[in-house]
Coordinates of all heavy atoms in Angstrom, one line a residue:
P1 N 15.7 -140.8 36.3 CA 17.1 -141.1 36.8 C 17.7 -142.3 36.1 O 18.9 -142.4 35.9 CB 17.0 -141.3 38.3 CG 15.5 -141.7 38.5 CD 14.7 -140.9 37.4
S2 N 16.8 -143.2 35.6 CA 17.3 -144.4 35.0 C 16.2 -145.0 34.0 O 15.0 -144.5 34.1 CB 17.7 -145.5 36.0 OG 16.6 -145.9 36.7
C3 N 16.6 -145.9 33.2 CA 15.6 -146.4 32.2 C 16.1 -147.8 31.7 O 17.3 -147.9 31.4 CB 15.4 -145.4 31.1 SG 14.4 -146.1 29.7
N4 N 15.3 -148.7 31.5 CA 15.6 -150.0 30.8 C 15.3 -149.8 29.3 O 14.1 -149.9 28.9 CB 14.8 -151.2 31.4 CG 15.2 -152.5 30.7 OD1 15.9 -152.5 29.7 ND2 14.7 -153.6 31.3
G5 N 16.3 -149.4 28.6 CA 16.1 -149.1 27.2 C 15.6 -150.3 26.4 O 14.9 -150.1 25.4
W6 N 15.8 -151.5 26.8 CA 15.3 -152.7 26.1 C 13.8 -152.7 26.0 O 13.2 -153.1 25.0 CB 15.9 -154.0 26.7 CG 17.3 -154.3 26.4 CD1 18.3 -154.2 27.4 CD2 17.9 -154.7 25.2 NE1 19.5 -154.5 26.8 CE2 19.3 -154.8 25.5 CE3 17.4 -155.0 23.9 CZ2 20.2 -155.2 24.5 CZ3 18.3 -155.4 22.9 CH2 19.7 -155.5 23.2
T7 N 13.2 -152.3 27.1 CA 11.7 -152.4 27.1 C 11.1 -151.0 26.8 O 9.9 -151.0 26.4 CB 11.3 -152.8 28.5 OG1 11.8 -151.9 29.5 CG2 11.7 -154.2 28.8
F8 N 11.9 -149.9 26.9 CA 11.3 -148.6 26.6 C 11.2 -148.3 25.1 O 10.2 -147.8 24.6 CB 12.2 -147.5 27.3 CG 11.7 -146.1 27.0 CD1 10.5 -145.6 27.6 CD2 12.3 -145.3 26.1 CE1 10.1 -144.3 27.4 CE2 11.9 -144.0 25.8 CZ 10.7 -143.5 26.5
W9 N 12.3 -148.7 24.4 CA 12.3 -148.3 23.0 C 11.7 -149.4 22.1 O 11.8 -150.6 22.4 CB 13.8 -148.1 22.5 CG 14.4 -146.9 23.1 CD1 15.4 -146.9 24.0 CD2 14.1 -145.6 22.9 NE1 15.8 -145.6 24.4 CE2 14.9 -144.8 23.7 CE3 13.1 -144.9 22.1 CZ2 14.9 -143.4 23.7 CZ3 13.1 -143.5 22.1 CH2 13.9 -142.8 22.9
H10 N 11.0 -149.0 21.1 CA 10.2 -149.9 20.2 C 10.6 -149.6 18.7 O 11.0 -148.5 18.4 CB 8.7 -149.7 20.4 CG 8.2 -150.1 21.7 ND1 8.6 -149.5 22.9 CD2 7.3 -151.1 22.1 CE1 8.0 -150.1 23.9 NE2 7.2 -151.0 23.4
F11 N 10.4 -150.6 17.9 CA 10.6 -150.4 16.5 C 9.3 -150.9 15.8 O 8.5 -151.7 16.4 CB 11.8 -151.2 15.9 CG 11.7 -152.7 16.0 CD1 11.4 -153.4 14.8 CD2 11.8 -153.4 17.1 CE1 11.3 -154.8 14.8 CE2 11.7 -154.8 17.2 CZ 11.4 -155.5 16.0
E12 N 9.1 -150.5 14.6 CA 7.9 -150.9 13.9 C 8.1 -152.2 13.1 O 9.1 -152.4 12.4 CB 7.5 -149.8 12.8 CG 6.1 -150.0 12.2 CD 5.7 -148.9 11.4 OE1 6.2 -147.7 11.6 OE2 4.8 -149.1 10.5
K13 N 7.1 -153.1 13.3 CA 7.2 -154.4 12.7 C 5.7 -154.8 12.3 O 4.9 -154.9 13.1 CB 7.7 -155.5 13.6 CG 7.7 -156.9 13.0 CD 8.4 -157.9 14.0 CE 8.2 -159.3 13.5 NZ 8.8 -159.5 12.1
D14 N 5.5 -154.9 11.0 CA 4.2 -155.3 10.4 C 3.1 -154.3 10.9 O 2.0 -154.7 11.3 CB 3.8 -156.7 10.8 CG 4.8 -157.7 10.3 OD1 5.4 -157.5 9.2 OD2 5.0 -158.8 10.9
G15 N 3.4 -153.0 11.0 CA 2.5 -152.0 11.3 C 2.2 -151.9 12.8 O 1.4 -151.1 13.2
A16 N 3.0 -152.6 13.6 CA 2.8 -152.5 15.1 C 4.2 -152.1 15.7 O 5.2 -152.4 15.2 CB 2.3 -153.8 15.7
L17 N 4.1 -151.5 16.9 CA 5.3 -151.2 17.7 C 5.7 -152.4 18.6 O 4.9 -152.9 19.3 CB 5.1 -150.0 18.5 CG 5.0 -148.6 17.8 CD1 4.7 -147.5 18.7 CD2 6.3 -148.4 17.0
V18 N 7.0 -152.9 18.4 CA 7.5 -154.0 19.1 C 8.7 -153.6 19.9 O 9.6 -152.9 19.4 CB 7.9 -155.2 18.2 CG1 8.4 -156.4 18.9 CG2 6.7 -155.5 17.3
P19 N 8.8 -154.0 21.2 CA 10.0 -153.6 22.0 C 11.2 -154.2 21.4 O 11.2 -155.4 20.9 CB 9.7 -154.3 23.4 CG 8.2 -154.5 23.4 CD 7.8 -154.8 22.0
I20 N 12.3 -153.5 21.4 CA 13.6 -154.0 20.9 C 14.1 -155.2 21.7 O 14.9 -156.0 21.2 CB 14.7 -152.9 20.9 CG1 15.0 -152.4 22.3 CG2 14.3 -151.8 19.9 CD1 16.1 -151.4 22.3
D21 N 13.5 -155.4 22.9 CA 13.9 -156.6 23.7 C 13.5 -157.9 23.0 O 14.1 -158.9 23.2 CB 13.2 -156.5 25.1 CG 13.7 -157.5 26.0 OD1 15.0 -157.7 26.1 OD2 12.9 -158.2 26.7
W22 N 12.5 -157.8 22.1 CA 12.1 -159.0 21.3 C 13.3 -159.5 20.4 O 13.5 -160.7 20.2 CB 10.9 -158.6 20.4 CG 10.4 -159.7 19.6 CD1 9.6 -160.7 20.0 CD2 10.6 -159.9 18.2 NE1 9.2 -161.6 19.0 CE2 9.9 -161.1 17.8 CE3 11.3 -159.3 17.2 CZ2 9.8 -161.6 16.5 CZ3 11.3 -159.7 15.9 CH2 10.6 -160.9 15.6
L23 N 14.1 -158.5 19.9 CA 15.2 -158.9 19.1 C 16.3 -159.5 20.0 O 17.0 -160.5 19.6 CB 15.8 -157.6 18.4 CG 14.8 -156.9 17.5 CD1 15.4 -155.6 17.0 CD2 14.4 -157.8 16.3
R24 N 16.5 -159.0 21.2 CA 17.5 -159.6 22.1 C 17.1 -161.0 22.4 O 18.0 -161.9 22.5 CB 17.6 -158.7 23.4 CG 18.6 -159.3 24.4 CD 18.8 -158.5 25.6 NE 17.6 -158.2 26.4 CZ 17.7 -157.8 27.6 NH1 18.8 -157.5 28.2 NH2 16.6 -157.6 28.3

């Protein structure tokens, strides 16, 4: 029903998956 996209979605950085919240 809902989702916190900041913590759910990740991007690749130096071969590891990092939450996009790190950018925020």
Side-chain angles (χ1 to χ4, degrees):
S2 62
C3 171
N4 182 347
W6 288 107
T7 56
F8 179 75
W9 294 112
H10 294 62
F11 69 102
E12 188 173 338
K13 177 179 172 58
D14 299 329
L17 288 177
V18 179
I20 60 174
D21 193 44
W22 182 78
L23 300 172
R24 177 174 65 164

